[in-house]
Amino acid sequence: MVAVPVTLAPRRPADARATDGMPASGPLVDTHGRVHRDLRISLTDRCSLRCTYCMPEQGNEWLARTSILSTDEIVRVARVAAAAGITTFRLTGGEPLLRPDIVDVVRRLSEVESPDGPVQLAMTTNGIRLGEYLPDLIAAGLNRLNISIDTLDRDRFRELTRRDRLGDVLDGIAAAAASGLRPLKLNAVAMRGVNDDELVDLVEFAIEVGAELRFIEQMPLDAGHTWSRAHMVTREEILETLSQRWGVTALPGRGGAPAERFVLDGGPATVGVIASVTAPFCGNCDRMRLTADGQLRNCLFSTTEYDLLPILRSDAGDAGVERMLRSCVFGKLPGHAIDDPSFLQPARGMNAIGG
């Protein structure tokens, strides 16, 4: 497959000017008073798996390599964002461990500081290459880790991901568990007729390895646009299933976190549920995203992107980067409106947006 540049969503030009009333300094705040502190940075749209809810098995049009941000460009955006109050960077993909200079990316981002001190650096990965990279990633400054695992059954894993790599994922989780890197979180997309009979087993596995299992409602972010609400396992169904095995008690103090957390049988074990569809948390969202090809997004479900690439590859100074960051945040809508009849699924798949 030859990589070609693709335009997948309306983009604001690099010279987009400030909206009337947009703060020129201070925190990254939108018109609804939400202060943004979390930047998700996608390092690549490529992945070593082909999960059915994310990517087709074949025929993917990858981003052109010339459009992928360099490490210098990523660090430049990160420094400007941190100066404006971003305190957490999460590295995503695609699969971030496919980026050849991933250790250098982590090392350089870990050196970025916000006005309140060093940023927190997290990563979401499928775990396949963790055994190879984890010691160097920790030494480079990685603070937190999320690993995706939707099933513990090898045949089901192969059918779901179109790759026979469950053993590699389990090895990666074992390496993470042995590393002492905490908190350690395992992510599972709950799907009807696929893994909804494994919810308890997945939680028990997470507890065994010292991790928190976080169930994610399946979202309309697949590249094939085949998402159906009927196939989604809802928050209420997840909690009902878990309550048949444990006493499930909600934890207070969620803040802007995407996961609603629950204590099992009084603790210490916990489980999280990210219910973006049936119980959206847009009112407290503090996240924005940078795609691998330099597009800023103020919502996972946004159909508009803010194009940073021309600014980063011109003589424009950091003031232009900051202005685009502020414009992106200031243009954020109250919510994603999945339940509205007018909702349009983003043209990009999840692998091209960044988790």
Side-chain angles (χ1 to χ4, degrees):
M1 175 62 64
V2 177
V4 295
V6 289
T7 300
L8 296 168
R11 294 178 175 180
R12 298 289 180 92
D15 62 350
R17 289 296 181 260
T19 304
D20 289 344
M22 185 181 77
S25 61
L28 293 168
V29 61
D30 64 21
T31 59
H32 307 283
R34 295 170 294 196
V35 177
H36 288 63
R37 302 180 179 88
D38 186 310
L39 177 62
R40 310 285 169 107
I41 302 173
S42 177
L43 300 181
T44 178
D45 62 328
R46 297 172 186 258
C47 189
S48 43
L49 301 177
R50 295 291 183 273
C51 296
T52 56
Y53 56 81
C54 183
M55 301 169 65
E57 182 173 12
Q58 298 179 350
N60 293 284
E61 289 191 340
W62 307 114
L63 297 171
R65 293 191 183 277
T66 55
S67 72
I68 300 296
L69 294 183
S70 69
T71 300
D72 285 345
E73 290 166 338
I74 291 170
V75 172
R76 181 182 174 192
V77 176
R79 290 189 185 283
V80 175
I86 292 293
T87 58
T88 298
F89 301 137
R90 175 170 293 279
L91 303 181
T92 70
E95 171 48 47
L97 294 182
L98 290 181
R99 182 155 176 139
D101 62 343
I102 181 60
V103 175
D104 187 49
V105 172
V106 169
R107 180 178 296 109
R108 293 184 62 186
L109 288 178
S110 71
E111 296 170 351
V112 175
E113 293 199 11
S114 73
D116 296 325
V119 298
Q120 286 288 301
L121 189 58
M123 179 184 292
T124 297
T125 173
N126 61 29
I128 287 176
R129 305 185 75 180
L130 267 182
E132 174 185 356
Y133 281 110
L134 189 55
D136 290 339
L137 292 172
I138 294 174
L142 185 68
N143 301 119
R144 303 200 306 268
L145 192 62
N146 288 35
I147 306 172
S148 300
I149 180 165
D150 298 321
T151 177
L152 299 169
D153 181 270
R154 180 177 175 181
D155 291 337
R156 184 175 287 179
F157 184 95
R158 182 171 56 241
E159 182 178 356
L160 179 61
T161 68
R162 305 183 179 105
R163 299 290 188 271
D164 189 10
R165 306 296 298 272
L166 177 60
D168 296 319
V169 175
L170 294 176
D171 287 345
I173 293 173
S179 73
L181 192 66
R182 297 294 186 274
L184 175 61
K185 298 175 183 177
L186 306 183
N187 294 345
V189 177
M191 293 163 280
R192 194 176 310 285
V194 177
N195 65 350
D196 52 344
D197 61 340
E198 286 189 81
L199 304 188
V200 169
D201 292 340
L202 285 163
V203 174
E204 290 180 335
F205 171 74
I207 293 172
E208 288 174 4
V209 299
E212 177 182 276
L213 201 292
R214 304 201 317 170
F215 290 109
I216 303 172
E217 288 184 340
Q218 188 175 357
M219 295 175 283
L221 291 169
D222 59 300
H225 289 206
T226 60
W227 177 84
S228 168
R229 184 180 290 270
H231 294 153
M232 181 187 72
V233 181
T234 68
R235 168 189 179 275
E236 292 304 318
E237 291 174 294
I238 292 168
L239 294 177
E240 173 61 28
T241 298
L242 299 184
S243 68
Q244 296 174 22
R245 168 64 175 81
W246 297 281
V248 179
T249 306
L251 277 171
R254 176 179 180 179
E260 185 180 5
R261 299 178 67 226
F262 301 85
V263 174
L264 302 179
D265 281 347
T270 57
V271 68
V273 180
I274 301 176
S276 299
V277 178
T278 65
F281 41 90
C282 304
N284 292 316
C285 180
D286 64 354
R287 290 169 298 287
M288 59 190 305
R289 286 173 165 79
L290 176 66
T291 68
D293 58 340
Q295 309 304 311
L296 286 170
R297 300 174 62 91
N298 54 30
C299 176
L300 184 59
F301 301 98
S302 178
T303 56
T304 299
E305 297 177 338
Y306 294 72
D307 192 356
L308 264 180
L309 205 59
I311 294 176
L312 295 171
R313 297 185 177 177
S314 69
D315 294 331
D318 288 348
V321 176
E322 181 178 359
R323 184 168 59 247
M324 190 63 80
L325 286 166
R326 293 188 180 280
S327 180
C328 176
V329 170
F330 205 67
K332 190 167 185 170
L333 298 175
H336 54 53
I338 286 177
D339 288 325
D340 192 286
S342 64
F343 174 77
L344 295 175
Q345 181 172 337
R348 288 187 190 247
M350 187 68 167
N351 68 298
I353 294 174

